[in-house]
Amino acid sequence: MSAFVWVDRDGRRHELESPAPIEAEAADVALEMEQYFDFLDSGDRLLRAAARAAIGKLQPRLEQLRADVGSWNEHAIAATRAEAAMLAERIDRLPTMIADVLLVVELHSEQAQLLDAKGDTSDTPARMFAEPMTAIQRRAIAACASRAAPIDAVTRGEAKAWLDAQPRFARGVQTGDGWFAWVDRNGHAHRLADPLAIEREVVCIAEELIRLRPALASITPADRLYEAVNSAITSWERLSLLQGDLERFDRETEVREDAAWTAYAADWRSKRNIL
C-alpha cells in the first residue's frame, strides 16, 4: 500500500503514518480563526472588514484539512483491509506451516491419557495399553523415517514405546529444571528439558489466529477490523518468536550433543591409553 501524501499550509509534502499532523494544523487554523471572531461585532468598520477577510482566507484551509482527514481515514481503512487480507491468507496456510508441531502436540495430548491412567488400580491402564494404536500414533509413525516402523497390528502401548524412542516425538515429563532457557507469553521464565511447552504455545497461538480469521473478512466493519488486525499482528509476532525459540532449541541441542560426544571420545582415548 502506498504512503499517504499530504501537503501542509506552507506547501511542504509529507508521507504520513497517522493523521496527527493534519489534525494539529486544523487545530492551529481554528484557533487563528477564533481570534478574529471577537472583532466581527466591533463598531469599527475597518476592524470588522479585516476580521472577515482573515476568516475568509482561513476557512477554505480548514475545510481542506477536514477533507484531508477524511481522505486519511479512507486510506487507513483501505490499508487495514489490505493488511487483513494478507493476514487471512497467512492464517489459511498456518495449519500446513505448523503441521509438524501440531502433530507432536496432538500426539502428546493423547499420550497424556495413558500417563494419567498409570496410577489407576483397575484394569483400565492395561486395557488402554492393549488397544490398537490410534490414528494419531499411526500418523506420527508414518512421519518417522529414522528406522523401520512397527507393523500395523501393534498396540497403543507398543506404538507409544516406539515413538518415545524417536527424537522427533520423544518428550519427557518435566519434573525439574532443564537446560534450555525460555520465557513464555506471560513473561514467566522456564528451564526446559524438551520443546513441548514451546510447541504447545505455538498451537495455542495458532488456534487464536484461526479464531480471528472470520473477523478479517472484507465485509467486517472498520472498527472491528482494526481490532482484529491488531490482535492478529500481535499473535503473529509471538508466533514468529516461538518459531525462533524452536530453532534455537535445535541449535543448542546440537551443540550439547557435539560437546558430549567430544567429551566421550576424549574420555575413551584417555582410558585406552591407560590400557
Side-chain angles (χ1 to χ4, degrees), residues 51-242:
R52 290 171 184 172
I55 292 172
K57 290 180 180 179
L58 292 169
Q59 182 63 35
R61 181 59 189 171
L62 187 59
E63 291 173 358
Q64 179 60 56
L65 290 167
R66 288 170 177 164
D68 289 345
V69 170
S71 297
W72 162 264
N73 289 336
E74 292 176 2
H75 170 86
I77 291 171
T80 301
R81 294 201 184 281
E83 190 160 22
M86 179 194 69
L87 287 165
E89 183 181 356
R90 291 168 72 183
I91 291 171
D92 290 341
R93 298 197 307 268
L94 190 52
T96 301
M97 291 171 57
I98 67 163
D100 289 348
V101 171
L102 185 59
L103 182 54
V104 170
V105 173
E106 287 178 340
L107 177 67
H108 283 276
S109 294
E110 183 182 77
Q111 304 274 64
Q113 299 174 16
L114 291 178
L115 296 176
D116 291 343
K118 280 187 176 180
D120 196 333
T121 56
S122 68
D123 64 345
T124 299
R127 190 171 63 251
M128 290 179 67
F129 274 81
E131 291 173 353
M133 67 175 171
T134 67
I136 293 176
Q137 286 179 319
R138 190 181 302 277
R139 283 168 49 208
I141 290 171
C144 292
S146 58
R147 68 180 218 235
I151 60 174
D152 287 347
V154 299
T155 65
R156 187 175 180 183
E158 290 168 338
K160 180 183 183 306
W162 190 90
L163 288 165
D164 285 346
Q166 299 295 309
R168 179 169 179 177
F169 293 104
R171 303 289 186 271
V173 178
Q174 187 90 21
T175 56
D177 285 344
W179 56 269
F180 183 77
W182 177 66
V183 178
D184 66 23
R185 70 190 305 184
N186 298 315
H188 300 148
H190 303 268
R191 304 288 296 185
L192 305 179
D194 63 51
L196 186 57
I198 308 173
E199 292 161 332
R200 282 176 170 155
E201 189 176 313
V202 166
V203 172
C204 181
I205 297 290
E207 290 172 347
E208 291 174 5
L209 283 164
I210 290 169
R211 286 195 295 270
L212 278 171
R213 173 63 177 85
L216 296 172
S218 60
I219 59 173
T220 301
D223 56 344
R224 287 184 55 212
L225 189 65
Y226 286 133
E227 182 179 345
V229 166
N230 288 334
S231 296
I233 289 173
T234 299
S235 293
W236 204 277
E237 288 173 350
R238 179 61 188 171
L239 187 63
S240 297
L241 286 175
L242 292 170

